[in-house]
Amino acid sequence: MTLPAPNSAAKRPPARDLKFPNNFLWGISTSAYQVEGGRADSQWEAWEEAGRIKSGDRRGLACDWWHNAERDFDLASGLGLNAVRFSVEWSRLEPQEGAWDGQAVARYRAMLTGLRQRGIHPIICLHHFSHPLWFERKGGF
C-alpha cells in the first residue's frame, strides 16, 4: 500500500471541519488483569506461575490500579475525558464458585461512584479474557 505524499491532493480536512455529536464519549480503557495487580486466582495468573512467559516477567502489582484507580480518574477528568471503560475481574468477585467477595464488590462500587463524582461515564466490560481458576478447571468456555 502506498500512502499519499504529505502535500498531495488527498489531504485531511482541517480540524475545524471535524464535528462530533455533543454526546460523543471521549475516554480511555483498561483491562482489570493488566492494571489492577495483586492476587486474582485467574487462569492467566496460573499461566504466568507455570513459567509460560519466556522472559519470566510477571504482572505482580502492575500499576496497582486496584488501590490507585482514582488517581487515573483525576487525570482523565483533567484531560476533559467523559468516559472510562474498565473490566471487572471475575476471579476477584467470585474467587470460589458461588462465593462472592463483598470487599471486591464494594471496591468496584467505589470506582463507579468515583467516576460519576467526576462527571465521567463508566462503561463496564464484564469479561476481558480472564476468568477464575475454578471456572477454568471446570473447562472454562
Side-chain angles (χ1 to χ4, degrees), residues 12-100:
R12 290 183 181 183
R16 67 181 180 277
D17 292 341
L18 298 176
K19 298 200 187 311
F20 292 88
N22 290 335
N23 61 350
F24 191 83
L25 297 176
W26 290 98
I28 57 171
S29 179
T30 66
S31 162
Y33 186 78
Q34 295 170 340
V35 299
E36 285 181 0
R39 192 92 183 133
D41 292 324
S42 73
Q43 93 282 15
W44 281 116
E45 190 165 49
W47 191 80
E48 287 180 3
E49 287 176 0
R52 303 272 172 94
I53 300 175
K54 186 176 181 178
S55 67
D57 289 342
R58 300 285 303 275
R59 173 189 62 136
L61 281 179
C63 63
D64 199 17
W65 209 69
W66 187 246
H67 297 105
N68 299 303
E70 287 77 7
R71 179 182 56 205
D72 285 350
F73 299 166
D74 290 339
L75 290 171
S77 178
L79 291 170
L81 302 178
N82 61 2
V84 169
R85 175 241 177 235
F86 68 95
S87 60
V88 293
E89 182 61 49
W90 179 9
S91 61
R92 279 191 194 275
L93 290 169
E94 189 182 15
Q96 303 295 322
E97 185 174 9
W100 298 89

Side-chain angles (χ1 to χ4, degrees), residues 102-128:
Q103 289 181 326
V105 172
R107 177 64 182 129
Y108 283 124
R109 184 173 285 137
M111 289 178 182
L112 294 169
T113 299
L115 286 167
R116 288 186 188 110
Q117 288 172 339
R118 290 165 177 81
I120 298 173
H121 181 78
I123 302 170
I124 304 301
C125 174
L126 295 176
H127 184 263
H128 195 186

